[in-house]
Amino acid sequence: MTSSLPLLLLALCSLSAAEAQLTVFNLGTSDLPSGIVATTDGYVKVFCGSASLGETSVRNNDPNPWWEEKFTYFQGQENDVLRLEVHDSDIFFNDLLGVCQRQIKREHDCFLKSAGLLHYSYTLNGNNQ
């Protein structure tokens, strides 16, 4: 008769590394570049680790856009890297305005290197982080 203890330990270890549902929502920016000639036509691309979760719609001529889209990833884990890229949509080339990259732990506001501030919220496994 073999012991089931190794199998039980393996099952318990896999529970601690279980995947969870990540939902990113309430995306918005403030103070994006604007001027006499042009105002930012902003959108955000969302990534978790190497997985692309999608992108928001473009908000034309708005230095302070907010988006209603939600992005869900069913294989997220605490400490995964959440990356949000803010872009300016143009006819020929979309400019990268800034990147916010953080480990999944709690709510963040993120200052963009070139200009502006990115706000966002997320839940992991249905609990506010």
Side-chain angles (χ1 to χ4, degrees):
M1 184 167 137
T2 61
S3 170
S4 61
L5 183 59
L7 185 58
L8 177 63
L9 288 174
L10 179 62
L12 289 174
C13 289
S14 66
L15 287 176
S16 64
E19 296 169 343
Q21 178 177 324
L22 168 70
T23 303
V24 181
F25 59 98
N26 200 27
L27 290 155
T29 60
S30 55
D31 301 325
L32 292 180
S34 64
I36 296 171
V37 177
T39 301
T40 300
D41 299 325
Y43 68 96
V44 181
K45 291 183 177 182
V46 181
F47 302 87
C48 182
S50 62
S52 173
L53 308 187
E55 62 186 56
T56 65
S57 57
V58 175
R59 295 284 190 244
N60 292 314
N61 300 315
D62 190 349
N64 303 301
W66 285 87
W67 294 272
E68 296 178 12
E69 289 95 334
K70 290 184 180 183
F71 302 91
T72 302
Y73 183 56
F74 292 97
Q75 298 174 359
Q77 296 182 22
E78 188 169 345
N79 296 320
D80 279 352
V81 175
L82 177 64
R83 189 173 83 244
L84 305 168
E85 298 178 354
V86 179
H87 294 262
D88 179 18
S89 178
D90 292 319
I91 294 173
F92 298 109
F93 181 75
N94 294 343
D95 301 313
L96 177 63
L97 299 178
V99 176
C100 178
Q101 184 168 300
R102 301 273 169 85
Q103 284 186 311
I104 299 172
K105 293 193 180 290
R106 61 181 190 270
E107 252 184 59
H108 293 285
D109 286 337
C110 194
F111 290 94
L112 302 174
K113 187 175 182 177
S114 60
L117 178 67
L118 171 66
H119 316 274
Y120 65 97
S121 302
Y122 65 84
T123 59
L124 182 65
N125 228 13
N127 298 321
N128 286 331
Q129 298 293 312

